[in-house]
Amino acid sequence: AWDLRGNMQDEIDRSLLTSRLGPAEIADLYPDYPVDRNQPIVDKGAVDPATGKYDPSATPTDNAGDAGTGENADGTGNGTGTGAGTPGTGTGTGTGTEGGIDTGADAGTGTDPGMQSQLSGLSDVLDNVPALLGPNGNGIGSNSWVVAGEHTTTGKPLLANDPHLSPQLPSLWYQMGLHCRSVSEKCQYDVSGYTFSGMPGVVIGHNDQISWGMTNLGADVTDLYLEKVSSGGYQYGGKTVPFETRRETIKVAGGKSRTITVRETNNGPLVSDRNDELGKVGKKAPVQSAAPDRGDGYGVSLRWTALTPGRSMDAVFALNKATDFKEFRSAAALFEVPSQNLIYADTEGNIGYQAPGRVPVRAKGHDGTLPAPGWDPSYNWKGYVPQDALPYEYNPDRGYIVTANQAVVDAEKYPYLLTEDWGYGARSQRINDLLKSKTKDGGKISMGDMRTMQLDDSSSIAKLLTPYLLKIDVKDSHVREAQKLLEGWDYTQTAESAPAAYFNAVWRNILKLGFGNKLPKEVRVKGQCLNVEPASQTGPEDETRKVRECGERSADSAQPDGGDRWFEVVRQQLEKEDSEWWQSPATRTDDATKTRDQLFERAMEDARWELTAKLGKDMDSWNWGRLHQLTLKNQTLGTSGPGLVQKILNRGPWDLGGGEATVNATGWNAAAGYEVIWVPSMRMVVNLGDLDKSEWINLTGASGHVYSPHYTDQTEKWVKGELLPWAFTDKAVKKATEDTLVLKP
């Protein structure tokens, strides 16, 4: 739930960017979702104003008005209000009630170092929370899709899923069959799939009648609140309210226990208490002049749906026992945190989708993109989106459903705000395009086709940019030699591809020159230093002054990360040949750039010499896999133990194909380098026509013991894109069995 929490990092980053960028520039870096180009999950359906329920067969229309308050904040009851509307804020006008947050043009273009320190310190705290499921940010996600039997070679649905998570050794996932010898009221399970080691129930998989998969929905389920703190408590509604406090003891192995005091506001715990940097607040915090006096600074509290006890484990058990779409939807309603896209198929031939989750309803004018004023009651959550109003589909006419972290619905045609920060749909649209091309004119999709699609490594940003790069008249013969690699390239990113290596290096340098060097130090990679103009200059005499600024963000979460948000950022600037984003200062070896093509040429030159240093002068030896490597690190001593111990516990590296925002999503952070930081943590394809012909693979193996033959016995096959047979029925399991362990009471 923590790692799939939604847009908290974007919320922090947008605030941090105000120290160096204005509202219009920040808006350039967070463009609207391209709904006309990248298809949302659900392309039909609407909430019935009369009943408040979602109707998948209704025709959506542009919404207006207020969707009401949803379920009560305690999760009971139904909201009131009719009409439809998505509250939101623009970046060009001030928003919020009196004393609120000002995000508009009159908010100024910067905050002082104190405010920056507070938000940066909070970002550090979030970075240091142990990551169960890997990096949280734009780009990370998962793929799933389901195809109806009318379009498959089996005549029954096929369902694929591959969640993209941080690589871990042992794998996060544990493959399991949970079979009662005879299903009854006392023993209710006949299910197989992926679970977490030691946890009862199957998280993703199938039983004897239905199958399901998951991807992160990305709903905005967190809000940061600025709090006016005093010795007596915190300010709320014009009064000082005492904190709720509790003491927690953290037991430390091999050391003394540590006791901390947690202070809570009505919005949640004061997370700024966890870092010394957060004791100070800026003189120009992004709030309106009617806000409370800053005094020694604002605190920061966190409101998050997962801090309220929920029933997600009940949902897992209910999914394991569901036999049809109605029972599947009932189970999904219990899946409150984290909010996931759930796809469905059954042996009767039906396919479906449900968006579950506890999603807050915010006040009009508060869209969750920036910290809110905790002292203003009008910024409280108004409840949750009613479960009956959340989008779903059942046997859609197109015959398939794709979820890959894209927008669930067209936000202009849905009455509730789910988030302002979707993934931007590069992966999902590629999958949609592949399915559409394979099913047109009566084409049928096989198990092999599903597996091949999971390995698709076509780059949409390469397809967009390469024609521009090839038109540039490159003067340097060595750079021209590299440019020729892109001629005739089909935009695929196999591990052996030299064009993929060069293009991705060019892409990384375009981002660095055009955007990264203009961002504040709080979001740039730790240790990467630049000489930059001061954020605020007092007169003409300061124009040539430079200050040394070094990045402060961990490599996995620094910006620009190169995910598909950045695809959209660059796409929208491409036709603006003289955009300020294409301007970069001169260096000792390079002239200043003033146009798009000048910057692109410089990026191609920088990429040429970067790869010469990394891969050698001979371009015949270049390939993407040598840059783009995966190392599996044991999650105990493999990350911080003595060198010899790490060598024993860890495995790799492996040269990988794929890349950022491709279907074969081997993610890397362009701000830091090319190392693989998240992967398809498992892959599965379920055959609803014959469950014993389903296939699966894990990232590592079924054992966490370094000397077990099953420690990483699936990894080589995973790297090659192979899947293993997935026995389910009693007969098939017995036939496939090699070793048996019996535990008797």
Side-chain angles (χ1 to χ4, degrees):
W2 177 257
D3 289 293
L4 302 176
R5 63 191 177 272
N7 78 333
M8 185 189 294
Q9 195 64 61
D10 288 327
E11 190 173 333
I12 294 170
D13 286 356
R14 268 187 285 258
S15 299
L16 292 171
L17 293 178
T18 61
S19 69
R20 197 161 288 280
L21 303 176
E25 293 170 309
I26 294 174
D28 284 346
L29 303 186
Y30 290 90
D32 292 336
Y33 182 88
V35 67
D36 293 335
R37 188 183 333 110
N38 294 344
Q39 179 181 323
I41 296 172
V42 175
D43 58 1
K44 293 183 179 179
V47 175
D48 187 329
T51 64
K53 294 183 178 182
Y54 192 84
D55 180 355
S57 62
T59 300
T61 58
D62 291 344
N63 289 336
D66 186 8
T69 59
E71 296 176 355
N72 296 334
D74 62 1
T76 61
N78 293 316
T80 59
T82 59
T86 302
T89 62
T91 55
T93 57
T95 62
T97 60
E98 183 176 357
I101 303 296
D102 192 342
T103 63
D106 59 347
T109 59
T111 59
D112 79 320
M115 186 63 176
Q116 293 298 105
S117 175
Q118 183 182 20
L119 290 168
S120 179
L122 177 59
S123 182
D124 289 342
V125 171
L126 301 181
D127 271 349
N128 290 329
V129 173
L132 173 66
L133 298 182
N136 176 72
N138 185 265
I140 190 170
S142 304
N143 299 324
S144 72
W145 65 92
V146 60
V147 183
E150 63 185 290
H151 298 302
T152 71
T153 57
T154 66
K156 289 293 178 74
L158 299 176
L159 184 151
N161 196 188
D162 55 289
H164 307 154
L165 304 170
S166 178
Q168 296 186 30
L169 180 62
S171 169
L172 174 75
W173 297 110
Y174 191 81
Q175 293 154 293
M176 182 180 74
L178 180 60
H179 304 284
C180 295
R181 294 182 183 277
S182 177
V183 176
S184 65
E185 189 62 32
K186 290 185 177 181
C187 193
Q188 303 179 36
Y189 299 94
D190 188 15
V191 61
S192 183
Y194 295 87
T195 185
F196 301 144
S197 182
M199 191 187 83
V202 169
V203 179
I204 296 173
H206 68 83
N207 59 29
D208 63 340
Q209 296 182 66
I210 77 164
S211 179
W212 65 95
M214 296 184 192
T215 64
N216 193 27
L217 190 148
D220 185 0
V221 296
T222 59
D223 274 334
L224 297 173
Y225 285 87
L226 297 179
E227 305 285 359
K228 173 58 181 174
V229 177
S230 65
S231 58
Y234 61 97
Q235 191 171 126
Y236 180 71
K239 299 179 181 179
T240 298
V241 180
F243 289 106
E244 289 188 15
T245 62
R246 67 179 186 273
R247 292 172 68 80
E248 295 186 359
T249 299
I250 301 171
K251 295 181 179 180
V252 180
K256 294 182 179 179
S257 296
R258 181 181 175 189
T259 300
I260 63 172
T261 298
V262 178
R263 297 190 294 173
E264 289 205 23
T265 72
N266 62 328
N267 291 313
L270 206 64
V271 289
S272 52
D273 279 352
R274 302 272 67 85
N275 188 286
D276 292 340
E277 283 188 305
L278 306 185
K280 299 179 181 179
V281 159
K283 298 176 183 178
K284 295 181 181 179
V287 293
Q288 292 181 352
S289 58
D293 177 69
R294 295 173 186 82
D296 292 332
Y298 298 124
V300 179
S301 63
L302 168 66
R303 185 154 195 187
W304 177 32
T305 54
L307 294 178
T308 302
R311 301 167 293 176
S312 292
M313 270 309 305
D314 291 339
V316 172
F317 295 136
L319 283 171
N320 290 184
K321 297 182 291 184
T323 61
D324 56 27
F325 191 63
K326 181 180 179 181
E327 292 181 1
F328 168 80
R329 291 193 68 212
S330 296
L334 302 172
F335 209 108
E336 297 166 333
V337 177
S339 187
Q340 299 289 286
N341 296 307
L342 293 175
I343 61 167
Y344 167 93
D346 63 35
T347 55
E348 295 297 315
N350 303 298
I351 64 172
Y353 163 79
Q354 176 68 56
R358 184 187 290 162
V359 182
V361 174
R362 295 171 174 84
K364 193 169 186 177
H366 174 34
D367 64 1
T369 61
L370 285 168
W375 50 82
D376 188 341
S378 68
Y379 281 82
N380 278 359
W381 288 359
K382 307 304 179 185
Y384 301 109
V385 177
Q387 289 293 312
D388 283 345
L390 288 169
Y392 74 96
E393 280 190 324
Y394 188 57
N395 293 329
D397 292 340
R398 63 182 175 276
Y400 53 84
I401 301 170
V402 176
T403 84
N405 316 112
Q406 78 271 41
V408 173
V409 292
D410 182 346
E412 297 298 323
K413 299 177 180 179
Y414 183 70
Y416 295 98
L417 174 66
L418 298 179
T419 184
E420 291 285 359
D421 293 298
W422 302 110
Y424 279 76
R427 280 182 291 110
S428 63
Q429 193 56 44
R430 175 63 176 171
I431 298 169
N432 270 300
D433 289 344
L434 288 171
L435 288 171
K436 186 176 181 179
S437 67
K438 288 180 179 295
T439 57
K440 71 177 181 180
D441 300 326
K444 303 291 185 179
I445 293 177
S446 67
M447 287 285 291
D449 292 330
M450 299 286 277
R451 181 170 61 249
T452 299
M453 287 175 61
Q454 287 182 326
L455 303 178
D456 183 86
D457 53 21
S458 179
S459 170
S460 62
I461 190 61
K463 185 177 182 180
L464 175 68
L465 287 186
T466 298
Y468 289 87
L469 300 176
L470 289 175
K471 289 179 181 178
I472 296 173
D473 183 15
V474 175
K475 302 171 184 63
D476 187 302
S477 61
H478 296 286
V479 180
R480 171 60 183 143
E481 186 183 12
Q483 184 188 36
K484 287 181 178 179
L485 288 174
L486 303 178
E487 295 177 357
W489 180 41
D490 62 358
Y491 317 122
T492 59
Q493 302 173 98
T494 63
E496 299 77 21
S497 173
Y502 181 59
F503 173 81
N504 282 313
V506 174
W507 169 238
R508 180 174 181 241
N509 280 280
I510 287 174
L511 292 174
K512 178 182 177 182
L513 293 170
F515 305 93
N517 292 349
K518 300 178 177 74
L519 301 180
K521 63 182 184 298
E522 289 83 4
V523 303
R524 297 202 314 268
V525 175
K526 187 178 296 183
Q528 290 186 1
C529 302
L530 297 170
N531 292 323
V532 300
E533 295 179 2
S536 176
Q537 296 183 346
T538 58
E541 68 275 7
D542 289 329
E543 289 182 2
T544 58
R545 267 181 43 209
K546 298 281 187 179
V547 295
R548 186 76 166 164
E549 277 190 0
C550 297
E552 299 177 351
R553 181 68 62 81
S554 69
D556 285 356
S557 57
Q559 294 295 335
D561 61 19
D564 61 358
R565 171 166 67 89
W566 291 99
F567 292 11
E568 196 63 23
V569 169
V570 170
R571 180 190 294 274
Q572 296 198 8
Q573 298 299 320
L574 272 179
E575 300 308 317
K576 304 172 185 177
E577 296 186 38
D578 300 321
S579 168
E580 290 186 359
W581 293 112
W582 304 134
Q583 299 176 17
S584 61
T587 68
R588 287 177 296 177
T589 57
D590 295 292
D591 295 332
T593 67
K594 296 182 179 180
T595 67
R596 177 198 67 206
D597 287 352
Q598 288 175 354
L599 186 137
F600 281 12
E601 183 175 4
R602 184 161 152 189
M604 287 197 290
E605 180 180 351
D606 290 351
R608 170 61 163 112
W609 302 121
E610 179 188 358
L611 294 198
T612 297
K614 292 180 182 295
L615 302 179
K617 294 181 181 180
D618 182 6
M619 289 195 305
D620 289 338
S621 69
W622 288 7
N623 67 63
W624 175 224
R626 287 178 61 199
L627 283 176
H628 191 53
Q629 294 186 323
L630 168 67
T631 299
L632 293 174
K633 295 182 178 181
N634 189 283
Q635 296 300 293
T636 54
L637 295 177
T639 59
S640 59
L644 177 60
V645 174
Q646 291 193 41
K647 188 174 181 179
I648 293 172
L649 293 176
N650 298 341
R651 296 292 184 270
W654 287 272
D655 297 352
L656 296 189
E660 189 72 24
T662 63
V663 181
N664 184 19
T666 54
W668 55 287
N669 187 308
Y674 307 97
E675 179 185 3
V676 176
I677 61 172
W678 48 271
V679 296
S681 55
M682 62 81 162
R683 298 185 182 103
M684 73 176 197
V685 180
V686 180
N687 183 335
L688 276 300
D690 185 343
L691 292 169
D692 285 330
K693 291 183 179 177
S694 301
E695 298 176 334
W696 61 355
I697 195 81
N698 204 350
L699 175 62
T700 60
S703 175
H705 195 299
V706 67
Y707 293 115
S708 167
H710 305 298
Y711 187 54
T712 56
D713 60 338
Q714 297 186 51
T715 306
E716 287 288 348
K717 295 180 182 297
W718 177 93
V719 169
K720 295 175 183 177
E722 297 178 15
L723 296 179
L724 296 169
W726 181 356
F728 174 71
T729 63
D730 184 56
K731 180 180 179 181
V733 169
K734 287 179 178 177
K735 183 178 180 181
T737 294
E738 294 184 6
D739 297 290
T740 302
L741 174 66
V742 177
L743 303 177
K744 290 186 176 181

